[in-house]
Amino acid sequence: MRERRFTVEEANAALPELTASLARIREARKVVFDHGERVREGSRGNGGGAESPEVVEASRVLKLELERLSEDGIILRDPESGLVDFPAERDGRVVYLCWRLGEDEVAHWHDPDTGFAGRRPLEPPG
């Protein structure tokens, strides 16, 4: 199956739902990580206890949101900073449109082998 390719317009149109999804992912991760820390601390004494319904639900939400992003063809690079890539084509080659939570729109791209460090503006300054 061919990887989906986004236009800048399609990537920008996805941002409202993507922003909401990232909020759910970040909250669910926090619940799971906080529980893991409590288990780690508790294991020093009596083994830490069972998972709470809150952790089970957070794990379910996390799995659902990550699967949805994957099905949509969006690549989550860093859930904490909200860094995502949208596969795209530029000058006949595969590139990634790059966006990070807090940015107003998709305004950068990079080659697959350069990552965030290789981000360049979509339009040259002028």
Side-chain angles (χ1 to χ4, degrees), residues 87-125:
E89 286 188 26
R90 185 175 175 97
D91 301 325
R93 60 193 170 92
V94 175
V95 299
Y96 291 114
L97 301 175
C98 185
W99 178 81
R100 184 168 44 183
L101 192 60
E103 295 176 343
D104 293 333
E105 62 184 11
V106 175
H108 297 88
W109 69 279
H110 62 81
D111 288 309
D113 59 345
T114 62
F116 185 81
R119 269 176 51 137
R120 292 183 263 181
L122 283 172
E123 299 296 329

Side-chain angles (χ1 to χ4, degrees), residues 49-68:
E51 282 188 354
S52 70
E54 180 184 40
V55 172
V56 172
E57 176 61 12
S59 297
R60 186 192 70 75
V61 167
L62 191 57
K63 181 179 184 294
L64 178 71
E65 293 296 334
L66 294 174
E67 286 174 348
R68 187 175 329 190

